[in-house]
Amino acid sequence: MCYGKCARCIGHSLVWLAILCIVANILLYFPNGETKYASENHLSRFVWFFSGIVGGGLLMFLPAFVFIGLEQDDCCGCCGHENYGKRCAMLSSVLAALIGIAGSGYCVIVAALGLAEGPVCRDSLGQWNYTFANTDGQYLLDTSTWSQCTEPKHIVEWNVSLFSILLALGGIEFILCLIQVINGVMGGICGYCCSRQQRYDC
């Protein structure tokens, strides 16, 4: 098994996941494709935490590109020994993976909080508030209560869908970065590639 190829696969996966996180987060700003709710500050406060744009998005590009570059990395001379270059590169990828874990963890936490609190919406009394804030997330199991939000239309479905997507994407990113921590440590200890022929090629 070549640990560099494994890291490269993880890196490519993280790039696409990061792009999806950014798109999902941006969509949260435009319920039903309208911009007025953002300008009037009638959005969930957790939308403004940029969890998908920063945590699961931009911050994830750093470890992703580090992982992608590992397979072509010709790092040499680590600790004064040319043969240790690849191993040091794999061990250094662990630091990048930890950054990814922090970013994806932030995305997961904020998305979970956004789901639990629910959206800001106009209720039947015409007031804008967090209609489901005191339900401890139980509104997610009782869709009949979603009609309490009269504006924006289908805002509950919109928030639940997009925050759930961010939660899932952030969770996958977290797992992939955790795998790379293990992969990086193993690659640093065992060598860039484990088989004798692969080690020679690397």
Side-chain angles (χ1 to χ4, degrees):
M1 173 184 178
C2 193
Y3 297 107
K5 289 183 178 179
C6 177
R8 187 168 182 265
C9 290
I10 292 174
H12 282 296
S13 299
L14 288 177
V15 168
W16 289 109
L17 289 169
I19 292 173
L20 291 174
C21 277
I22 292 173
V23 172
N25 199 155
I26 291 175
L27 288 175
L28 280 169
Y29 291 97
F30 308 107
N32 302 321
E34 300 182 52
T35 61
K36 65 177 183 178
Y37 300 110
S39 61
E40 295 172 357
N41 198 26
H42 288 153
L43 297 175
S44 168
R45 58 182 176 142
F46 291 108
V47 174
W48 302 102
F49 282 28
F50 306 108
S51 61
I53 294 176
V54 178
L58 298 178
L59 198 60
M60 204 57 56
F61 286 127
L62 173 61
F65 291 131
V66 169
F67 302 159
I68 290 172
L70 281 175
E71 192 178 18
Q72 290 82 28
D73 194 356
D74 293 325
C75 172
C76 297
C78 181
C79 303
H81 299 280
E82 184 175 348
N83 293 335
Y84 291 168
K86 293 290 188 180
R87 294 190 179 191
C88 284
M90 288 300 295
L91 287 173
S92 66
S93 74
V94 174
L95 297 177
L98 292 176
I99 293 175
I101 287 175
S104 58
Y106 174 71
C107 182
V108 167
I109 292 171
V110 173
L113 291 173
L115 279 172
E117 187 172 63
V120 173
C121 64
R122 188 194 297 271
D123 59 22
S124 57
L125 299 177
Q127 297 179 335
W128 289 91
N129 53 46
Y130 289 94
T131 306
F132 307 107
N134 297 321
T135 66
D136 296 324
Q138 292 300 313
Y139 78 97
L140 295 168
L141 305 175
D142 187 2
T143 57
S144 63
T145 62
W146 294 5
S147 59
Q148 294 178 31
C149 284
T150 59
E151 186 185 357
K153 290 184 178 180
H154 307 296
I155 184 59
V156 182
E157 293 90 332
W158 187 267
N159 264 37
V160 168
S161 298
L162 292 174
F163 273 126
S164 295
I165 289 172
L166 286 174
L167 184 64
L169 293 176
I172 296 172
E173 289 174 339
F174 186 92
I175 293 172
L176 289 177
C177 287
L178 190 59
I179 291 174
Q180 179 53 30
V181 169
I182 299 171
N183 183 56
V185 171
M186 293 297 293
I189 295 174
C190 297
Y192 188 71
C193 301
C194 268
S195 73
R196 183 173 299 176
Q197 182 60 42
Q198 284 177 316
R199 186 179 297 132
Y200 177 79
D201 293 339
C202 288

